[in-house]
Amino acid sequence: MSLARIVVKFGGTSVANVERIRQAARHVKREVDAGNQVTVVVSAMSGKTNELVGWVNESSKLHDAREYDAVVASGEQVTAGLMAIVLSEMGIPSRSFQGWQVPIHTDDAHGAARITEIIPDELVRRMQDGVVPVVTGFQGIVPETGRVTTLGRGGSDTSAVAIAASVGADRCDIYTDVDGVYTTDPRIDPKAKRLNRIAFEEMLEMASLGAKVLMIRSVEMAMAHKVRLVVRSTFDDPEAPQIAPDGTPGVPGTLVCDEDEIMEKQIVSGVTLAKAEAKITLRDVKDKPGVAAAVFGALADESIVVDMIVQNISDDGSVTDITFTVPDSEYDKSVRVLEAARTSGAIEYARVTGSKGGAKVSVVGVGMRSHAGVAASMFKALADKGINIQLITTSEIKTSVLIDDEYAELAVRALHTYYGLDKEDA
Ligand code: ADP
Ligand code: ASP
Ligand code: MG
């Protein structure tokens, strides 16, 4: 009898070459040997998707998104086949599946498609027959057109969680190159500490504020479908006893779970950094109802995602300034859109200014809900380091500031220490 049904996902670094695919496969073998039913989801080899995207852009800046997907989805096809070969060679019957073979249905937003439905029957049947299906992450198919889609960068996490939900998995293990979710990116701050547990809401904020360890949509989906999500390392010894963070036999790594499964709620659980944030200011905007709607409507019509927004109150009610941020990659387009709107008379303002290369640093924690003064203490910690704050936004469980890129890492480390997140032996 099967003990559990598990979906395991291996990221790019974990399948970077055949040797690493073997290492990953040993984790699968351990689960299968324990009597579990396993479906594997794989990313492309690390660097592969970047290379493919580069080739597409080199071919044409203005390419058809359907062809972008045709090219970019290929990376996962290679690793799925290789993983199935390696598993079979280890004596574990296995078969690869591309998105369309499962099938994983998506909408037709090529390049950033959303999964609409997964038909799990074939995967379940294979698992019940003792076969390990290996599914390509990151891709699906539009049922109406039959065309291949991709889910946006980092999308294999979302594939894995969606498959876990559809096959009714007991757990979804995200294997990556770190052994869990940390209080901040361990590449930025060596004092970062691994969290044993993190609440869905916190993980959602951290993912959307720059912690790319999980794709945002995968966290949303896990939260909506109550998937038990674990982040753990491929590079741990696959044959070692499986010890949970509390020292008992179990799954090592970080469990992403409901807030009420976390006993001790931190005021701040994590610090995140997002770079390449461009700042745009509209000077002397006519201050009248409908102005903000016109400005942000014009940008939304061009699918430009705006992040932080600040609008001043005008002294005499005639003109005001509006400042907001967009990703650096959308800066030129945003300025063009706004200038065109001024020329056509759709928005009245004096001039547009701005710059690329800002850094957004955020502190996140569910404990902020019941704790006053987190924003104030954050500003104090930054002021002590002489770091100037350009913009501020807050929500119930996070505070973000936009600062000069030059001070980004310094700010992260300072806040990490300030909120007592540094690991003990650091
Ligand atoms: P994969 O290829 O396995 O999907 P990613 O590169 O997408 O892996 O995500 C893992 C990386 O996320 C880590 O190497 C780490 O540098 C980065 N990262 C950013 N923030 C965090 C965090 N708070 N905790 C853990 N890792 C983080
Ligand atoms: N290979 C894709 C990417 O690099 C998807 C993933 O790795 O999750 O974005
Ligand atoms: Mg990833």
Side-chain angles (χ1 to χ4, degrees):
M1 205 201 87
S2 214
L3 289 171
R5 184 173 284 173
I6 310 170
V7 172
V8 304
K9 176 253 170 179
F10 296 100
T13 337
S14 310
V15 294
N17 53 49
V18 174
E19 201 38 57
R20 292 213 179 148
I21 292 177
R22 272 202 193 97
Q23 162 82 6
R26 285 163 63 208
H27 286 283
V28 179
K29 180 168 174 8
R30 184 194 61 244
E31 300 295 354
V32 170
D33 288 350
N36 298 319
Q37 288 184 1
V38 184
T39 290
V40 180
V41 175
V42 285
S43 291
M45 291 180 177
S46 63
K48 194 52 176 176
T49 308
N50 286 346
E51 184 182 45
L52 295 168
V53 171
W55 288 341
V56 171
N57 288 330
E58 190 186 328
S59 304
S60 165
K61 272 270 163 244
L62 294 172
H63 48 259
D64 188 314
R66 286 165 292 196
E67 302 312 339
Y68 167 97
D69 279 348
V71 176
V72 171
S74 67
E76 274 71 10
Q77 181 174 346
V78 174
T79 45
L82 291 173
M83 176 64 86
I85 293 171
V86 166
L87 283 168
S88 301
E89 206 213 22
M90 284 179 174
I92 301 164
S94 178
R95 187 63 63 223
S96 71
F97 290 86
Q98 294 184 55
W100 63 269
Q101 289 170 310
V102 173
I104 297 174
H105 291 162
T106 72
D107 63 16
D108 64 357
H110 284 275
R114 279 181 176 263
I115 296 175
T116 50
E117 186 186 24
I118 296 180
I119 299 169
D121 304 20
E122 177 73 4
L123 298 179
V124 170
R125 191 175 65 75
R126 295 283 181 154
M127 285 193 281
Q128 284 168 342
D129 287 350
V131 175
V132 171
V134 182
V135 183
T136 50
F138 186 49
Q139 46 153 283
I141 187 175
V142 184
E144 294 80 17
T145 61
R147 302 229 54 106
V148 170
T149 48
T150 62
L151 308 180
R153 298 307 304 271
S156 297
D157 296 331
T158 305
S159 308
V161 174
I163 290 170
S166 78
V167 302
D170 299 282
R171 221 172 63 226
C172 181
D173 290 354
I174 304 288
Y175 283 85
T176 183
D177 55 3
V178 275
D179 62 356
V181 178
Y182 277 68
T183 45
T184 193
D185 188 342
R187 287 180 212 232
I188 297 175
D189 192 345
K191 293 187 200 141
K193 234 183 344 198
R194 190 174 54 74
L195 296 162
N196 292 340
R197 293 182 173 212
I198 184 166
F200 282 122
E201 286 88 347
E202 288 173 328
M203 192 63 241
L204 211 53
E205 288 282 12
M206 282 181 65
S208 60
L209 295 168
K212 68 160 191 164
V213 60
L214 287 174
M215 194 206 204
I216 306 169
R217 278 230 293 287
S218 71
V219 185
E220 279 170 359
M221 203 174 284
M223 195 164 141
H225 296 277
K226 300 251 169 269
V227 173
R228 277 187 99 67
L229 189 60
V230 176
V231 177
R232 55 177 300 178
S233 172
T234 309
F235 303 109
D236 284 349
D237 177 2
E239 281 86 34
Q242 298 291 288
I243 306 293
D246 66 1
T248 61
V251 188
T254 301
L255 176 69
V256 189
C257 60
D258 278 330
E259 199 175 318
D260 51 21
E261 286 188 66
I262 299 176
M263 294 299 163
E264 203 185 324
K265 294 190 181 52
Q266 304 296 324
I267 298 170
V268 170
S269 302
V271 183
T272 60
L273 170 61
K275 289 197 165 200
E277 302 269 329
K279 187 176 62 170
I280 296 177
T281 300
L282 294 179
R283 299 278 180 206
D284 298 342
V285 186
K286 195 103 183 119
D287 195 10
K288 60 177 188 192
V291 164
V295 170
F296 297 109
L299 295 166
D301 287 346
E302 295 296 321
S303 305
I304 296 169
V305 179
V306 174
D307 183 16
M308 310 170 99
I309 301 176
V310 175
Q311 180 183 332
N312 287 336
I313 295 172
S314 55
D315 283 340
D316 57 0
S318 63
V319 289
T320 183
D321 293 346
I322 299 178
T323 301
F324 56 91
T325 62
V326 295
D328 272 1
S329 55
E330 301 279 23
Y331 177 80
D332 296 336
K333 188 172 162 193
S334 303
V335 171
R336 268 203 309 277
V337 168
L338 293 167
E339 280 175 344
R342 184 180 50 180
T343 310
S344 74
I347 310 170
E348 295 170 61
Y349 65 89
R351 62 187 195 285
V352 52
T353 58
S355 57
K356 292 189 196 177
K360 183 173 63 169
V361 176
S362 314
V363 297
V364 176
V366 286
M368 273 186 214
R369 280 203 191 107
S370 51
H371 221 90
V374 175
S377 63
M378 181 183 187
F379 306 154
K380 169 87 172 58
L382 294 172
D384 286 349
K385 295 282 174 194
I387 299 170
N388 188 39
I389 299 168
Q390 301 172 4
L391 287 178
I392 302 165
T393 52
T394 63
S395 80
E396 218 186 359
I397 65 163
K398 73 119 199 278
T399 304
S400 302
V401 295
L402 188 77
I403 60 171
D404 198 305
D405 184 70
E406 199 183 329
Y407 301 109
E409 282 80 10
L410 173 66
V412 168
R413 292 192 204 108
L415 292 168
H416 197 266
T417 303
Y418 187 85
Y419 288 107
L421 300 173
D422 291 355
K423 63 180 173 204
E424 285 74 29
D425 55 357

